[in-house]
Amino acid sequence: MRSVGTVLSAGTVWSGEMAWSIGFSLLAAFLFAGAAALQYRAARRAVRGGSDATAAQGLIRRLIRDPVWLTGWGVNLAGFAAQATALHFGSTAIVQPLLVTQLVFTILLGTVGTGRRPARMDLLGGIAVSAGLAVLFTVPGAIPPEGEPSRPRLFLAGLIAAPLIIVLSRAAWLRRGPVRAALLGVCAGLCFAATAVLIKLTTAGLVDRGVAATAVDWPGYALAGSTLLGLVIEQRAFAAGSLPAAMTAMTMTNPIASYLVAVLAFHTLPPRTVSAFVAVSFTAMLLTAGVALLSRSAAAARREAASA
């Protein structure tokens, strides 16, 4: 498979592959939004009526018996398949920021069949996210080419992330409410960033070396582990009760961590011009503001749905 750097040197091929990557990224965001809506409803129902300690015990056991949560799991798997296809055609620097649109789709799905229009907060959040992505994709050099991965550096990234997840998840259980949800959201975001990188390695292995060689290589097994761990932590973040804190932390940690891994392990160069650096910084601010607004609005919509 050609590297993204090679693709970037050929204008027409780059445009086609980037279009496929963007299309499947948006499809993945839509599917993840639907899955999150279903799983949040199931997670809150599973912990309703109990204390934090008793609610956390046996959470996953209760969820896997819930048809709504199982449906969300199936939609999640479809989202991961779409994300894998997007990563095959494009780099993590393209795919992961586009997954932020998951929250925009969450708002839209929340208004289907209700007769309600998106609130002003929804519109402001959607505009901020769209403007941030527009800046990222239009300023030259803001999305740098991605090179071949360095497996030793990927291993180093894992050694850095693993203890960080352990410390943050431990700290989460010493807190309550929004702080707990935010800390668990960061942990889930780190896991899903690792999943994105490992999806790219695994799909490249399947295409270039076949199923047999991929089956005896470690990225596929690490992919299963990071995905499962991320989904478990995500459910605990939802169960903590503060959806805005969980979704903001998770949604922003994912692209930031993916970008840092791309710089460390994929030899992706950071912005080298003033305009590119300003564009990336401005994009980060707009996405953060948009995600915060949309998370609050999504929480309000789901509280209304739960009380109906």
Side-chain angles (χ1 to χ4, degrees):
M1 184 179 71
R2 290 171 297 178
S3 68
V4 175
T6 303
V7 173
L8 284 170
S9 65
T12 56
V13 177
W14 175 85
S15 297
E17 293 200 353
M18 186 175 187
W20 281 108
S21 182
I22 291 173
F24 277 101
S25 297
L26 294 175
L27 175 60
F30 175 78
L31 293 170
F32 287 146
L38 294 168
Q39 291 176 330
Y40 174 78
R41 182 186 304 172
R44 293 304 301 156
R45 185 167 57 196
V47 300
R48 189 173 297 159
S51 65
D52 287 344
T54 58
Q57 296 175 359
L59 173 63
I60 300 302
R61 185 172 62 253
R62 291 192 295 275
L63 288 177
I64 60 177
R65 298 173 181 173
D66 190 322
V68 174
W69 188 87
L70 290 173
T71 301
W73 173 267
V75 176
N76 233 339
L77 290 179
F80 281 120
Q83 183 186 13
T85 306
L87 287 166
H88 174 69
F89 287 112
S91 68
T92 54
I94 293 174
V95 175
Q96 297 306 97
L98 283 169
L99 293 184
V100 173
T101 58
Q102 170 184 340
L103 285 176
V104 179
F105 289 123
T106 298
I107 299 299
L108 296 177
L109 288 174
T111 61
V112 172
T114 64
R116 293 184 291 112
R117 293 182 178 181
R120 182 178 300 178
M121 187 180 295
D122 305 341
L123 297 176
L124 291 175
I127 290 171
V129 168
S130 300
L133 293 174
V135 170
L136 185 68
F137 281 92
T138 55
V139 175
I143 301 179
E146 189 176 77
E148 294 297 324
S150 168
R151 292 200 172 198
R153 292 191 177 190
L154 283 175
F155 186 71
L156 175 61
L159 290 179
I160 295 172
L164 182 59
I165 292 172
I166 293 172
V167 170
L168 291 177
S169 60
R170 175 59 181 168
W173 293 113
L174 301 177
R175 301 291 187 271
R176 300 184 68 179
V179 176
R180 174 184 290 182
L183 291 172
L184 291 173
V186 171
C187 294
L190 290 172
C191 291
F192 291 140
T195 293
V197 173
L198 293 167
I199 284 175
K200 192 168 184 66
L201 285 181
T202 304
T203 53
L206 287 171
V207 171
D208 296 339
R209 298 186 297 152
V211 175
T214 305
V216 296
D217 205 1
W218 62 266
Y221 301 99
L223 169 60
S226 66
T227 303
L228 180 60
L229 180 61
L231 290 172
V232 170
I233 296 176
E234 181 186 38
Q235 306 313 309
R236 296 193 180 278
F238 289 162
S242 178
L243 184 67
M247 290 298 292
T248 301
M250 182 166 51
T251 306
M252 291 311 303
T253 299
N254 192 337
I256 292 172
S258 297
Y259 184 85
L260 293 176
V261 172
V263 172
L264 174 66
F266 284 81
H267 305 290
T268 300
L269 296 176
R272 306 185 70 180
T273 65
V274 174
S275 61
F277 179 81
V278 171
V280 171
S281 301
F282 193 51
T283 294
M285 290 190 295
L286 286 172
L287 291 183
T288 302
V291 165
L293 289 170
L294 291 170
S295 294
R296 290 189 179 92
S297 183
R302 286 174 182 168
R303 281 197 298 269
E304 291 178 6
S307 62

